[in-house]
mmCIF file of all heavy atoms in Angstrom:
data_model
loop_
_atom_site.group_PDB
_atom_site.id
_atom_site.type_symbol
_atom_site.label_atom_id
_atom_site.label_comp_id
_atom_site.label_asym_id
_atom_site.label_seq_id
_atom_site.Cartn_x
_atom_site.Cartn_y
_atom_site.Cartn_z
ATOM 1 N N ARG A 12 -8.724 4.537 0.042
ATOM 2 C CA ARG A 12 -8.820 5.953 0.389
ATOM 3 C C ARG A 12 -7.982 6.812 -0.562
ATOM 4 O O ARG A 12 -8.462 7.814 -1.090
ATOM 5 C CB ARG A 12 -8.375 6.138 1.838
ATOM 6 C CG ARG A 12 -8.578 7.524 2.378
ATOM 7 C CD ARG A 12 -8.324 7.609 3.863
ATOM 8 N NE ARG A 12 -6.969 7.204 4.218
ATOM 9 C CZ ARG A 12 -6.669 6.133 4.964
ATOM 10 N NH1 ARG A 12 -7.611 5.364 5.450
ATOM 11 N NH2 ARG A 12 -5.418 5.838 5.247
ATOM 12 N N GLU A 13 -6.744 6.430 -0.786
ATOM 13 C CA GLU A 13 -5.846 7.257 -1.599
ATOM 14 C C GLU A 13 -6.163 7.196 -3.091
ATOM 15 O O GLU A 13 -5.941 8.166 -3.808
ATOM 16 C CB GLU A 13 -4.383 6.873 -1.343
ATOM 17 C CG GLU A 13 -3.916 7.157 0.072
ATOM 18 C CD GLU A 13 -4.061 8.617 0.482
ATOM 19 O OE1 GLU A 13 -3.928 9.525 -0.369
ATOM 20 O OE2 GLU A 13 -4.305 8.866 1.674
ATOM 21 N N LEU A 14 -6.684 6.060 -3.561
ATOM 22 C CA LEU A 14 -7.061 5.940 -4.964
ATOM 23 C C LEU A 14 -8.520 6.339 -5.196
ATOM 24 O O LEU A 14 -8.994 6.327 -6.326
ATOM 25 C CB LEU A 14 -6.829 4.508 -5.464
ATOM 26 C CG LEU A 14 -5.365 4.116 -5.635
ATOM 27 C CD1 LEU A 14 -5.217 2.612 -5.739
ATOM 28 C CD2 LEU A 14 -4.765 4.802 -6.852
ATOM 29 N N GLN A 15 -9.208 6.675 -4.108
ATOM 30 C CA GLN A 15 -10.611 7.093 -4.140
ATOM 31 C C GLN A 15 -11.487 6.073 -4.863
ATOM 32 O O GLN A 15 -12.261 6.396 -5.754
ATOM 33 C CB GLN A 15 -10.731 8.482 -4.769
ATOM 34 C CG GLN A 15 -9.988 9.527 -3.983
ATOM 35 C CD GLN A 15 -10.072 10.906 -4.578
ATOM 36 O OE1 GLN A 15 -10.545 11.122 -5.681
ATOM 37 N NE2 GLN A 15 -9.602 11.882 -3.812
ATOM 38 N N ARG A 16 -11.325 4.823 -4.432
ATOM 39 C CA ARG A 16 -12.109 3.708 -4.969
ATOM 40 C C ARG A 16 -12.491 2.813 -3.800
ATOM 41 O O ARG A 16 -11.773 2.750 -2.813
ATOM 42 C CB ARG A 16 -11.294 2.886 -5.960
ATOM 43 C CG ARG A 16 -10.807 3.670 -7.151
ATOM 44 C CD ARG A 16 -9.947 2.799 -8.028
ATOM 45 N NE ARG A 16 -10.739 1.702 -8.571
ATOM 46 C CZ ARG A 16 -10.760 1.359 -9.846
ATOM 47 N NH1 ARG A 16 -10.042 2.022 -10.710
ATOM 48 N NH2 ARG A 16 -11.495 0.351 -10.260
ATOM 49 N N ASP A 17 -13.593 2.085 -3.945
ATOM 50 C CA ASP A 17 -13.964 1.157 -2.877
ATOM 51 C C ASP A 17 -14.043 -0.282 -3.383
ATOM 52 O O ASP A 17 -14.456 -1.178 -2.667
ATOM 53 C CB ASP A 17 -15.286 1.561 -2.219
ATOM 54 C CG ASP A 17 -16.443 1.607 -3.192
ATOM 55 O OD1 ASP A 17 -16.248 1.339 -4.391
ATOM 56 O OD2 ASP A 17 -17.557 1.924 -2.741
ATOM 57 N N ASP A 18 -13.602 -0.487 -4.614
ATOM 58 C CA ASP A 18 -13.735 -1.800 -5.233
ATOM 59 C C ASP A 18 -12.396 -2.498 -5.470
ATOM 60 O O ASP A 18 -12.267 -3.336 -6.352
ATOM 61 C CB ASP A 18 -14.479 -1.668 -6.565
ATOM 62 C CG ASP A 18 -13.747 -0.766 -7.558
ATOM 63 O OD1 ASP A 18 -12.853 -0.006 -7.144
ATOM 64 O OD2 ASP A 18 -14.071 -0.827 -8.757
ATOM 65 N N ILE A 19 -11.395 -2.174 -4.686
ATOM 66 C CA ILE A 19 -10.064 -2.738 -4.872
ATOM 67 C C ILE A 19 -9.980 -4.118 -4.221
ATOM 68 O O ILE A 19 -10.327 -4.278 -3.052
ATOM 69 C CB ILE A 19 -8.994 -1.800 -4.280
ATOM 70 C CG1 ILE A 19 -9.023 -0.453 -5.020
ATOM 71 C CG2 ILE A 19 -7.613 -2.427 -4.340
ATOM 72 C CD1 ILE A 19 -8.135 0.613 -4.413
ATOM 73 N N SER A 20 -9.492 -5.087 -4.996
ATOM 74 C CA SER A 20 -9.276 -6.425 -4.445
ATOM 75 C C SER A 20 -7.791 -6.590 -4.130
ATOM 76 O O SER A 20 -6.960 -5.788 -4.570
ATOM 77 C CB SER A 20 -9.724 -7.511 -5.434
ATOM 78 O OG SER A 20 -8.743 -7.711 -6.425
ATOM 79 N N VAL A 21 -7.455 -7.632 -3.410
ATOM 80 C CA VAL A 21 -6.063 -7.842 -2.994
ATOM 81 C C VAL A 21 -5.143 -8.135 -4.168
ATOM 82 O O VAL A 21 -3.921 -7.998 -4.044
ATOM 83 C CB VAL A 21 -5.934 -8.946 -1.922
ATOM 84 C CG1 VAL A 21 -6.623 -8.545 -0.638
ATOM 85 C CG2 VAL A 21 -6.424 -10.276 -2.442
ATOM 86 N N ASP A 22 -5.710 -8.521 -5.321
ATOM 87 C CA ASP A 22 -4.891 -8.856 -6.484
ATOM 88 C C ASP A 22 -4.887 -7.774 -7.571
ATOM 89 O O ASP A 22 -4.241 -7.948 -8.604
ATOM 90 C CB ASP A 22 -5.362 -10.183 -7.086
ATOM 91 C CG ASP A 22 -5.141 -11.338 -6.126
ATOM 92 O OD1 ASP A 22 -4.077 -11.388 -5.483
ATOM 93 O OD2 ASP A 22 -6.049 -12.181 -6.005
ATOM 94 N N ASP A 23 -5.574 -6.665 -7.339
ATOM 95 C CA ASP A 23 -5.571 -5.579 -8.316
ATOM 96 C C ASP A 23 -4.207 -4.895 -8.341
ATOM 97 O O ASP A 23 -3.582 -4.680 -7.295
ATOM 98 C CB ASP A 23 -6.636 -4.532 -7.984
ATOM 99 C CG ASP A 23 -8.044 -4.977 -8.321
ATOM 100 O OD1 ASP A 23 -8.196 -5.883 -9.175
ATOM 101 O OD2 ASP A 23 -8.990 -4.434 -7.728
ATOM 102 N N ASN A 24 -3.761 -4.546 -9.543
ATOM 103 C CA ASN A 24 -2.474 -3.884 -9.719
ATOM 104 C C ASN A 24 -2.635 -2.376 -9.495
ATOM 105 O O ASN A 24 -3.505 -1.745 -10.098
ATOM 106 C CB ASN A 24 -1.934 -4.164 -11.124
ATOM 107 C CG ASN A 24 -0.555 -3.591 -11.335
ATOM 108 O OD1 ASN A 24 -0.372 -2.383 -11.407
ATOM 109 N ND2 ASN A 24 0.416 -4.472 -11.430
ATOM 110 N N PHE A 25 -1.788 -1.828 -8.644
ATOM 111 C CA PHE A 25 -1.816 -0.406 -8.302
ATOM 112 C C PHE A 25 -1.819 0.475 -9.551
ATOM 113 O O PHE A 25 -2.586 1.425 -9.654
ATOM 114 C CB PHE A 25 -0.594 -0.080 -7.426
ATOM 115 C CG PHE A 25 -0.426 1.363 -7.104
ATOM 116 C CD1 PHE A 25 -1.179 1.968 -6.110
ATOM 117 C CD2 PHE A 25 0.497 2.139 -7.792
ATOM 118 C CE1 PHE A 25 -1.015 3.322 -5.808
ATOM 119 C CE2 PHE A 25 0.669 3.482 -7.499
ATOM 120 C CZ PHE A 25 -0.092 4.066 -6.502
ATOM 121 N N PHE A 26 -0.969 0.156 -10.504
ATOM 122 C CA PHE A 26 -0.838 0.995 -11.698
ATOM 123 C C PHE A 26 -2.042 0.853 -12.619
ATOM 124 O O PHE A 26 -2.476 1.825 -13.225
ATOM 125 C CB PHE A 26 0.473 0.676 -12.416
ATOM 126 C CG PHE A 26 1.657 0.901 -11.517
ATOM 127 C CD1 PHE A 26 2.323 -0.171 -10.957
ATOM 128 C CD2 PHE A 26 2.077 2.180 -11.201
ATOM 129 C CE1 PHE A 26 3.398 0.032 -10.102
ATOM 130 C CE2 PHE A 26 3.142 2.400 -10.345
ATOM 131 C CZ PHE A 26 3.809 1.321 -9.793
#
Side-chain angles (χ1 to χ4, degrees):
R12 187 171 59 245
E13 295 302 327
L14 288 164
Q15 299 179 351
R16 300 177 64 131
D17 59 359
D18 61 344
I19 298 173
S20 79
V21 295
D22 295 318
D23 285 338
N24 184 290
F25 175 79
F26 301 105

